[in-house]
Amino acid sequence: MGRKKAVVDQERYGVLKGMLEERRLEIQQKLRSLRETLPVEAGEVRDAEEQSVDDFVQEVDFALMQMKAESLGKIDEAIRRLEAGVYGECAECGTEIGEARLKALPFATLCVACQEREENEQSVVREGARVQEPAPLR
Ligand SMILES: [Zn+2]
């Protein structure tokens, strides 16, 4: 039984690793194309309006690049966790998170059941808070 489990784990590892690496490549390509659209240097003389549009575009691109770089870091982290054998496990109950779920949400740390329970608990807390609102004094 232990052997069979190992084979299954190996398969899952392959699938998840492929998925994460594909994701990483995708982000790297987007980052590269974003870098290419950014002007290397704003050396030319322009009128103010043109300049401010450029500044805006540059700011948006820069924010996008930062977001991508952040996701890249998360992917690397996920790959490290996968290699350590702790990726794709529910942080709450320890069961394996489904591959379909991980494909949709590579950084998911809870299985569907725990996620739903958590969301339910949160809405209960929210409703409880509403009930406990202090009543007007008079
Ligand atoms: Zn769980």
Side-chain angles (χ1 to χ4, degrees), residues 9-63:
D9 281 353
Q10 201 54 42
E11 261 180 38
R12 183 175 152 89
Y13 175 87
V15 169
L16 293 179
K17 180 141 188 182
M19 187 268 285
L20 287 171
E21 279 179 345
E22 204 174 286
R23 199 58 75 118
R24 180 162 66 175
L25 212 67
E26 206 177 283
I27 295 171
Q28 277 173 337
Q29 274 161 358
K30 279 189 188 141
L31 257 176
R32 203 169 307 141
S33 70
L34 269 173
R35 278 201 192 104
E36 277 163 14
T37 58
L38 278 179
V40 181
E41 230 158 321
E44 294 165 54
V45 183
R46 298 156 200 238
D47 58 76
E49 201 182 323
E50 201 183 340
Q51 186 62 56
S52 71
V53 169
D54 270 7
D55 283 352
F56 176 72
V57 169
Q58 221 162 318
E59 249 167 62
V60 171
D61 281 352
F62 189 71

Side-chain angles (χ1 to χ4, degrees), residues 76-95:
D76 283 341
E77 173 68 28
I79 290 174
R80 268 197 297 277
R81 282 172 52 206
L82 181 68
E83 272 159 8
V86 292
Y87 174 73
E89 268 177 23
C90 175
E92 197 67 34
C93 68
T95 52

